[in-house]
Amino acid sequence: MRAQARREQRRSTILAAAVAVFKDKGYHAASVHDIIDAAQIARGTFYLYFTSKREIFAELAATFLELIRGSVQKISLDPAAGEPLAQMRANFRRVMNTVLEHGDLATIMLRGDAGDSEVRAQLDLFYAQVIALIGQAVRVGHALGFARDCDVHVIAVAALAGLKRGARADAGGAG
């Protein structure tokens, strides 16, 4: 049990170091050496847990998407659950609070500075999944009568673009 807890702690330390390094330098400019230095571990220790910075990036993307998904609750038509519009607003607040609470992860994922095609593909998949979540929320709003008929994809892409612009501005980019 103790050894397992130590392994999980070490893995968490490496992931936290990667978040700090990726946020500071961007994915492309960061190196495994930077992560090792930030985590204050030996190179061999890093490779016990991860094969590359790309693998860490993939895990961080999956974690952030799961955090976002976990903050969304299904809209209920049960009167005891409250008005559907209020539930949708609460979902929006929870998603935004999740993004703010995990601002470093948000910056990494939404800044989109990946340098190679494999990581670019991971980012594109992440963006597609976020667009799908936003699109589903717009469709639900439309079905419940408080969102206008619109091109759901355009609205979802525009919402993601706004989040990305905000992340670049927070990271000190052009915004």
Side-chain angles (χ1 to χ4, degrees):
M1 279 301 238
R2 186 180 283 184
Q4 178 64 26
R6 224 179 3 249
R7 281 191 296 277
E8 288 175 16
Q9 177 59 41
R10 181 66 49 89
R11 183 177 178 76
S12 294
T13 298
I14 296 168
L15 286 168
V19 167
V21 169
F22 290 162
K23 182 178 184 286
D24 182 47
K25 292 187 166 199
Y27 173 83
H28 185 64
S31 69
V32 169
H33 180 75
D34 295 328
I35 297 167
I36 289 167
D37 283 351
Q40 299 178 1
I41 58 170
R43 182 170 291 278
T45 302
F46 174 88
Y47 288 107
L48 286 173
Y49 295 90
F50 298 97
T51 60
S52 64
K53 75 174 185 173
R54 186 178 296 131
E55 182 181 356
I56 289 177
F57 185 86
E59 185 163 329
L60 293 176
T63 297
F64 189 51
L65 187 61
E66 193 55 39
L67 288 166
I68 292 171
R69 281 188 174 138
S71 69
V72 175
Q73 295 177 3
K74 185 174 179 167
I75 303 299
S76 173
L77 297 179
D78 181 349
E83 291 292 321
L85 181 57
Q87 292 176 62
M88 287 194 75
R89 286 180 177 150
N91 271 340
F92 178 77
R93 280 191 299 278
R94 280 191 298 275
V95 168
M96 293 312 297
N97 286 336
T98 298
V99 169
L100 293 172
E101 182 180 333
H102 301 279
D104 290 350
L105 265 178
T107 297
I108 293 164
M109 294 304 133
L110 297 173
R111 182 170 46 196
D113 70 339
D116 64 41
S117 61
E118 190 171 322
V119 172
R120 176 86 259 153
Q122 288 173 342
L123 269 178
D124 288 347
L125 177 60
F126 173 81
Y127 296 153
Q129 291 170 328
V130 170
I131 287 168
L133 286 171
I134 295 168
Q136 181 60 27
V138 172
R139 281 189 287 283
V140 167
H142 179 67
L144 294 173
F146 48 81
R148 294 180 192 170
D149 188 21
C150 61
D151 185 327
V152 172
H153 185 74
V154 168
I155 298 299
V157 169
L160 176 60
L163 287 172
K164 289 174 71 171
R165 182 176 172 87
R168 282 193 304 273
D170 286 347

